[in-house]
Amino acid sequence: MTASLIHGLSLAAEIREQIRSVIASWPAARQRPGLVVVQVGEDPASAVYVGNKIKACEAVGIRSQHRVFTADCSTQSLLAAIHELNRDPEVHGILVQLPLPASIDPRSILQAIDPRKDVDGFHPLNAGALFAGTPRLVPCTPAGVMRLLANTGVAIRGAEAVVVGASNIVGKPMAMLLLAAGATVTLCNSKTRDLAAHCHRADILIAALGKPQYIHGSMIKPGAVVIDVGIHRAVSGQLLGDVHFESVCEIASWVTPVPGGVGPMTIAMLLANTLKAAEDTLP
Ligand code: GUN
């Protein structure tokens, strides 16, 4: 079998266009949605991701601001900035780019964000709402993966879904969304014994383990849908996923490319969450 590609780039473009046209249809006097992206330190990868988020906002009519703090800033100063953004009626979404420097406690930062402005969906209240089956603001990458899966037309209800990687950002919320959609979900982590045996059972496999090209075609069930959440830059400069693309293509029915798969969907879902947060608070 040669897998079909799941085109995240074109689906994300469609979603961005829908968001643009919704905002464009608002009365001129209505405030536009506003997002603030907070970056701490000068990590080059984070700077690229943040830059892409800001650019995507501009293109759909979301006002955005990029606030950069030095890597040696204190947790207190960051908390003070977040409290100020929480109070600002022109700010509907707040995103703190992760990872944070080791000197800053990420939990206290994420908990300080007003849950109504938590466009990443990382606040315990939003994580709990997802767990309880009443999702509000859902983490962007897993939300984007669900849209990609829906686009294939493959049934999730009753399917065996295996999520490899149990992070708070991707793996755990991904498992909750698949469960809510009726899949039987296995959530693998770094201690999982015989990962290949779990992967072999998967009708839907989500690779979010953070190891370049780790998931090989020999680990895949014939006809599986494979979603690659990983992104790594090889020394050659080439972008690689967590999936060994060539070998998986020979076995899977659908696979996401890297780049052009999950990445653009994460940004599209950030825009969707920002619009939702604005719609929920604006008159
Ligand atoms: N770092 C990697 N992915 C993400 C994400 O989805 N949100 C934030 N805030 N930081 C990240």
Side-chain angles (χ1 to χ4, degrees), residues 86-120:
N86 284 344
R87 286 192 298 271
D88 187 337
E90 298 206 344
V91 174
H92 307 106
I94 304 168
L95 180 150
V96 178
Q97 186 66 25
L98 301 175
L100 289 167
S103 56
I104 292 170
D105 170 26
R107 266 189 314 177
S108 70
I109 301 299
L110 297 179
Q111 284 185 23
I113 296 172
D114 182 334
R116 291 166 300 186
K117 300 189 178 190
D118 171 35
V119 287
D120 256 331

Side-chain angles (χ1 to χ4, degrees), residues 3-116:
S4 302
L5 291 186
I6 310 176
H7 297 289
L9 210 53
S10 53
L11 181 57
E14 276 173 37
I15 293 167
R16 287 204 312 263
E17 175 51 28
Q18 284 163 11
I19 293 169
R20 192 202 61 74
S21 86
V22 167
I23 296 171
S25 74
W26 285 8
R30 197 181 198 200
Q31 198 184 80
R32 267 37 195 167
L35 173 70
V36 174
V37 181
V38 174
Q39 184 191 339
V40 184
E42 303 284 341
D43 174 58
S46 284
V48 171
Y49 296 142
V50 170
N52 288 340
K53 289 170 184 179
I54 298 283
K55 258 188 271 169
C57 282
E58 276 168 25
V60 298
I62 293 176
R63 291 173 298 108
S64 64
Q65 255 186 63
H66 180 187
R67 298 244 182 123
V68 184
F69 290 76
T70 56
D72 63 355
C73 78
S74 67
T75 299
Q76 281 315 312
S77 63
L78 214 47
L79 286 174
I82 286 168
H83 291 143
E84 191 191 318
L85 295 171
N86 284 344
R87 286 192 298 271
D88 187 337
E90 298 206 344
V91 174
H92 307 106
I94 304 168
L95 180 150
V96 178
Q97 186 66 25
L98 301 175
L100 289 167
S103 56
I104 292 170
D105 170 26
R107 266 189 314 177
S108 70
I109 301 299
L110 297 179
Q111 284 185 23
I113 296 172
D114 182 334
R116 291 166 300 186

